[in-house]
Each structure stands twice: as C-alpha cells, then as structure tokens.
Amino acid sequence: MDNLEMRILEVLTDDARTPVGQIAVMLGRTEAEIAAAIAEMEERRIILKYPALVNWDKVDSGEVEALIEVRVTPQRGHGFDAIAEQIYRFEEVHNVYLMSGGYDLLVMLKAPSLKKLALFVAEKLSTIDGVLSTATHFVLKKYKNEGVITDEKQVDRRLKVTP
C-alpha cells in the first residue's frame, strides 16, 4: 500500500462523504488519480463499505446491543476460522474478532429485543459444535463510538448578565 492510498483512507475514515474533488485538492492530486485509487482499493476489498456513524441513543429503536465472549475448541486443520465463519453468517452478528486472553472470540451483535437476543444465544450460538461457553455483556450506554464522543455535554457559552 502506497502513501497516497494511506492518505485517502485517512480522509475517508474521518468523513466518508468527502467528495473526490475535495480529496484531490487536499492531497495535491487530480480527481482522476483519486477516483482511480479509490476504485482500485474497492476492487482489492481494502475499502469494504462507507458507513454512517449514528448515535442510536438519540433514536428510539428499541434495539439491544451486546458483546459476547465465546470460548471454543479449535477444529483440527481449521483452528478458530470454521467456528468464526459459522458465527459471522448469522444476520444478528455485526462483528466477530479472534481475541487473546480468557476467551477466544468476541461477538458483537444487535437484536430487536432482549428476548430475541437471549434466543440467539440459547438456540443458535451455544448450540454450535465446539462452543464451550459464552458470557454476554449488554451495552447500556455509549460514551465514545468510533473515536467520536457521543455524550458530550453542551456548554453554555453566553455571557452572564447580572443586574
């Protein structure tokens, strides 16, 4: 990966809606060069998606978000990959990470209700061959998400008027 690609990724990570023309000006390149580099990174699956970061605490969606620690027995010849693949194929699952420490996989998911999330763990996740145990942690509030402070206090910057 060259320096131009890294700089483009930094700009898009900060704001995925940055127009190609603006990126070109920022990096001192032509729009055609930037567009070609972005298209190539999409083709090589370096850029996978352009998501919006939403503060779901301000939206009454009723969704429940959880992080689940999963201990597994690795499969001969496949290690953790085969079990991770079974898990990430479920629609509810948003992220799966191989971890070091007291558990093997970290599964992040969303469900429309606490009951549906509990059913996912009981009927889908824990029944997979090789899953030894799970520990579910529910997200109660996000203070910072993807580097953005979501719970920033509004500061009154007006001058105080006294009689």
Side-chain angles (χ1 to χ4, degrees):
M1 174 165 292
D2 65 22
N3 189 38
L4 175 63
E5 290 177 336
M6 284 300 293
R7 291 170 57 202
I8 292 170
L9 292 175
E10 288 168 1
V11 171
L12 291 176
T13 299
D14 187 49
D15 184 359
R17 297 183 319 158
T18 307
V20 172
Q22 185 177 341
I23 297 171
V25 170
M26 292 168 69
L27 303 182
R29 300 294 182 99
T30 67
E31 281 190 48
E33 285 179 288
I34 300 300
I38 290 171
E40 185 179 327
M41 286 188 285
E42 290 170 343
E43 179 71 25
R44 292 175 18 218
R45 295 193 41 84
I46 292 170
I47 297 175
L48 300 173
K49 190 175 178 182
Y50 297 90
L53 182 60
V54 177
N55 186 352
W56 288 106
D57 290 342
K58 295 191 180 237
V59 179
D60 189 18
S61 69
E63 279 192 324
V64 180
E65 192 171 352
L67 298 115
I68 304 173
E69 300 173 1
V70 184
R71 289 187 57 237
V72 301
T73 302
Q75 296 178 347
R76 183 178 303 250
H78 299 285
F80 296 101
D81 295 347
I83 295 174
E85 183 177 352
Q86 283 183 275
I87 294 170
Y88 70 61
R89 297 255 178 236
F90 291 117
E91 181 180 322
E92 301 89 341
V93 174
H94 286 256
N95 300 302
V96 178
Y97 303 111
L98 179 61
M99 305 295 290
S100 64
Y103 55 95
D104 304 305
L105 300 172
L106 177 64
V107 178
M108 301 168 75
L109 60 100
K110 289 183 182 180
S113 69
L114 185 61
K115 183 176 182 173
K116 296 242 180 182
L117 196 141
L119 285 172
F120 170 81
V121 174
E123 295 177 357
K124 294 180 180 178
L125 183 60
S126 61
T127 60
I128 295 172
D129 286 336
V131 170
L132 301 174
S133 66
T134 64
T136 303
H137 306 276
F138 297 99
V139 176
L140 303 177
K141 183 176 182 178
K142 292 182 182 178
Y143 295 96
K144 191 172 187 178
N145 188 16
E146 297 292 326
V148 177
I149 297 170
T150 58
D151 191 41
E152 195 154 18
K153 306 291 186 240
Q154 297 297 326
V155 178
D156 188 358
R157 300 194 185 280
R158 298 179 292 175
L159 294 175
K160 292 185 184 199
V161 178
T162 57

